[in-house]
Amino acid sequence: MLILASKSPIRKTLLDNAGLHFLVASAPIDEREIEDRLLTQGENRQGLAVALAKSKALAVSKANPGAVVIGADQTFDQDGEGRHKPATIAEAAGNLMAMAGTSHSLHSGVALARDGEIVWSAVDTATLTFKDFSRAELDIVLRLEGEAILGSVGGYRLEGPSVRLFSRVQGDYFTILGLPLLALLDALAVHAPETLSQGGER
């Protein structure tokens, strides 16, 4: 059995599109507590992404003996400063206007756990550069996006109309979406090849 320890719709879609047969489960962890503790201990935001992925995978693995569990998380990094998902469209607008003309990184961590142990983990980074867009340009994008952007750590969706705000993207597309999919599929082939041969309805 393969389990995705995440309720992220985009991660679920990526695994669905890859033809994997899996269940979805929420990881009972306090992400903010883990973040605060690790950053206080000197962890950087890249390390935080993989640490959160491991925590999710382990939490769900301990409750599902024998299952292969995928944990994944993403952190935002602009010169060491992070952002979380905006609570409102107004908050997203303020954050995005403050980032016009700047670059930032997205770190996507992923881990596999089985029987309460991490068997593999990785982290990948992409760098994105915003255009020096105007408030009028942003308002058009916000109108097109609606509340969908509230599910994104940076307040934008590269797979949606928010792509209009960018001038350059460096890195893997799947990493930007929050799951280093190619590395994950390679890891499954090594650590849980049976998960790649399953199919059918969940």
Side-chain angles (χ1 to χ4, degrees):
M1 180 169 59
L2 183 65
I3 301 176
L4 172 63
S6 171
K7 288 291 191 180
S8 163
I10 190 64
R11 291 189 184 110
K12 180 180 180 300
T13 297
L14 291 176
L15 295 185
D16 276 331
N17 290 347
L20 295 177
H21 176 69
F22 62 99
L23 302 176
V24 175
S26 290
I29 66 169
D30 185 340
E31 294 184 42
R32 296 291 80 82
E33 184 278 328
I34 294 171
E35 176 178 347
D36 291 344
R37 173 166 46 83
L38 292 181
L39 292 178
T40 298
Q41 294 171 357
E43 183 63 87
N44 60 28
R45 295 195 175 273
Q46 185 180 56
L48 175 62
V50 74
L52 288 168
K54 288 179 178 180
S55 295
K56 289 180 177 181
L58 284 173
V60 173
S61 176
K62 289 173 182 175
N64 295 273
V68 177
V69 181
I70 302 167
D73 210 299
Q74 184 181 70
T75 57
F76 178 103
D77 188 350
Q78 187 170 43
D79 300 323
E81 295 297 318
R83 291 185 186 273
H84 297 123
K85 296 174 183 177
T88 64
I89 300 289
E91 181 183 345
N95 289 346
L96 289 166
M97 280 308 304
M99 293 190 289
T102 69
S103 296
H104 64 277
S105 295
L106 293 176
H107 307 297
S108 288
V110 60
L112 291 178
R114 181 177 247 159
D115 294 324
E117 293 186 3
I118 297 295
V119 298
W120 172 84
S121 65
V123 62
D124 192 43
T125 298
T127 301
L128 296 83
T129 301
F130 282 109
K131 296 177 181 177
D132 192 13
F133 52 82
S134 67
R135 180 59 199 243
E137 291 173 303
L138 176 59
D139 284 343
I140 292 171
V141 168
L142 292 175
R143 187 170 67 250
L144 291 169
E145 287 280 14
E147 292 192 354
I149 59 171
L150 301 183
S152 165
V153 118
Y156 59 80
R157 298 185 314 134
L158 199 71
E159 71 276 21
S162 303
V163 71
R164 301 182 183 193
L165 302 176
F166 291 90
S167 63
R168 189 177 184 188
V169 172
Q170 298 168 277
D172 179 75
Y173 182 67
F174 299 119
T175 291
I176 294 167
L177 297 186
L179 183 68
L181 183 60
L182 301 181
L184 172 60
L185 292 174
D186 284 346
L188 288 172
V190 172
H191 297 282
E194 70 280 5
T195 64
L196 298 179
S197 60
Q198 298 171 352
E201 295 297 322
R202 284 189 289 284

